[in-house]
Amino acid sequence: NLNEKVVVITGGGQGLGKTMALYLAKFGAHIALIDVNKDKLTETVKFVIELCLPDVKFIFLLFQLQEETMSDA
């Protein structure tokens, strides 16, 4: 039972992340989605809500990590 639990999914805008969001939302989990693509995140949230899961709460974050490199001076 995942009612009222919060699940954090990275890469949640498409593919496996999107599938996981839908699957876990069906069991009552609230979903925190993280991805680098805002449009894909929005699309995923709309998709899950359209599938009769209006009680699921979402937060979605646009986030991109960049590796900094240091050069030897």
Side-chain angles (χ1 to χ4, degrees), residues 30-43:
H30 300 303
I31 310 295
L33 295 174
I34 302 169
D35 204 309
V36 298
N37 188 318
K38 182 180 178 182
D39 293 334
K40 293 288 186 182
L41 283 175
T42 303
E43 183 181 301

Side-chain angles (χ1 to χ4, degrees), residues 19-61:
T19 302
M20 289 173 51
L22 175 61
Y23 181 79
L24 296 170
K26 286 183 179 182
F27 288 97
H30 300 303
I31 310 295
L33 295 174
I34 302 169
D35 204 309
V36 298
N37 188 318
K38 182 180 178 182
D39 293 334
K40 293 288 186 182
L41 283 175
T42 303
E43 183 181 301
T44 297
V45 171
K46 288 179 181 179
F47 178 72
V48 175
I49 290 172
E50 287 174 3
L51 293 175
C52 302
L53 302 170
D55 295 333
V56 173
K57 295 177 185 173
F58 284 91
I59 182 171
F60 55 102
L61 306 166

